[in-house]
C-alpha cells in the first residue's frame, strides 16, 4: 500500500491543534495468512507543523520504519517480533532537538534500544540497553548512557540495572 497526505482537519481536532500541515510520503505492506502475520511501513516526512495559537511544533527530515511480525500458529505476546527505526534532522518546540536517531528491536518479551540526540546545540545525549518483562517483573539494563554538555562529558562506567516488581523497585550500578 501507499498513502498520500491530504486534508488534516480531523487529525488536527484529535490532536487538539488549530492546524496541521505536512509534506511527505509513506508506503508499506500488510500480509496475513494461516502461517504468519506481518506489517511493514515506511514514512518519510519532509516537514510537519502543528499549530495551536502561538505555539508551534515543527519536525523535519523524518525517516521512519516499522516492521512487525508474528507466527499465527502460536497465540502469545512472546510470539511478536519486530523493529522500529526513527530519525529526524530537526524538531522544534520549546527545545530545539537535532540529529535524532532511535532504534528499537523486540522479540520474545525483550527489546533492545539505541537512541541519540542533540538538544539546543549544547547537549548531546544517548542511551543503549535492553529491557525485558514478564507477568510480574520489568528489567531494564542500560549498558551505555552518556551526556555531553559543552566541554563536559558524563558517561556510565558500568551497566545500570533497573528492576521493578510488585513488591520492589531497585536501581543498581
Amino acid at each position: 500500500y501507499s498513502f498520500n497526505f491530504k486534508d488534516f482537519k480531523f487529525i488536527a481536532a484529535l490532536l487538539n491543534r488549530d492546524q496541521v500541515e505536512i509534506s511527505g510520503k509513506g508506503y508499506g505492506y500488510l500480509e496475513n495468512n494461516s502461517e504468519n502475520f506481518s506489517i511493514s511501513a515506511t514514512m518519510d516526512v519532509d516537514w510537519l507543523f502543528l499549530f495551536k495559537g502561538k505555539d508551534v511544533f515543527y519536525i523535519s527530515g523524518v525517516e521512519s520504519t516499522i516492521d512487525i511480525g508474528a507466527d499465527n500458529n502460536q497465540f502469545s505476546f512472546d510470539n511478536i517480533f519486530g523493529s522500529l527505526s526513527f530519525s529526524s534532522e530537526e524538531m522544534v518546540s520549546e527545545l530545539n532537538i537535532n540529529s535524532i536517531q532511535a532504534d528499537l528491536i523486540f522479540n520474545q518479551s525483550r527489546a533492545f534500544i539505541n537512541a541519540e540526540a542533540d538538544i539546543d546545540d549544547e547537549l548531546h545525549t544517548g542511551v543503549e540497553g535492553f529491557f525485558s518483562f514478564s507477568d510480574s517483573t520489568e528489567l531494564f539494563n542500560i549498558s551505555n548512557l552518556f551526556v555531553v554538555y559543552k566541554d563536559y562529558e558524563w558517561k556510565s562506567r558500568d551497566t545500570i540495572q533497573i528492576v521493578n516488581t510488585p513488591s520492589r523497585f531497585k536501581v543498581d550500578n
Side-chain angles (χ1 to χ4, degrees):
Y1 62 87
S2 65
F3 50 90
N4 295 317
F5 299 128
K6 299 248 182 190
D7 183 9
F8 277 90
K9 290 178 186 173
F10 180 71
I11 300 294
L14 287 175
L15 296 174
N16 192 26
R17 297 293 174 162
D18 299 331
Q19 185 178 351
V20 173
E21 294 183 15
I22 189 168
S23 172
K25 64 182 176 181
Y27 52 91
Y29 70 88
L30 173 68
E31 182 179 344
N32 191 23
N33 58 44
S34 62
E35 298 291 320
N36 297 301
F37 167 82
S38 61
I39 186 169
S40 177
T42 298
M43 190 163 54
D44 297 327
V45 177
D46 302 321
W47 48 262
L48 166 71
F49 284 99
L50 302 175
F51 298 97
K52 176 76 174 180
K54 293 183 180 182
D55 293 334
V56 176
F57 172 86
Y58 168 77
I59 191 166
S60 67
V62 174
E63 295 179 4
S64 62
T65 60
I66 182 171
D67 295 295
I68 298 175
D71 180 346
N72 282 339
N73 295 315
Q74 299 177 9
F75 301 105
S76 168
F77 185 72
D78 285 345
N79 186 42
I80 300 171
F81 55 89
S83 65
L84 306 165
S85 182
F86 177 87
S87 65
S88 173
E89 295 170 5
E90 180 179 28
M91 184 174 74
V92 178
S93 187
E94 293 180 18
L95 295 172
N96 294 333
I97 304 176
N98 301 312
S99 303
I100 303 166
Q101 176 65 44
D103 294 297
L104 175 72
I105 300 168
F106 56 94
N107 191 8
Q108 297 183 346
S109 297
R110 295 186 85 186
F112 299 88
I113 187 168
N114 182 341
E116 287 189 41
D118 295 329
I119 302 170
D120 284 336
D121 295 326
E122 294 182 347
L123 183 70
H124 179 72
T125 185
V127 63
E128 185 174 334
F130 80 89
F131 58 94
S132 63
F133 41 92
S134 66
D135 291 340
S136 62
T137 304
E138 293 89 31
L139 172 66
F140 190 29
N141 280 320
I142 302 170
S143 57
N144 185 20
L145 176 65
F146 66 89
V147 176
V148 179
Y149 178 71
K150 296 185 179 182
D151 293 332
Y152 302 99
E153 180 177 0
W154 178 85
K155 184 176 181 179
S156 60
R157 281 186 272 167
D158 296 317
T159 298
I160 300 166
Q161 186 177 71
I162 301 168
V163 179
N164 184 43
T165 69
S167 61
R168 72 179 174 141
F169 179 80
K170 183 179 178 184
V171 178
D172 283 329
N173 184 1

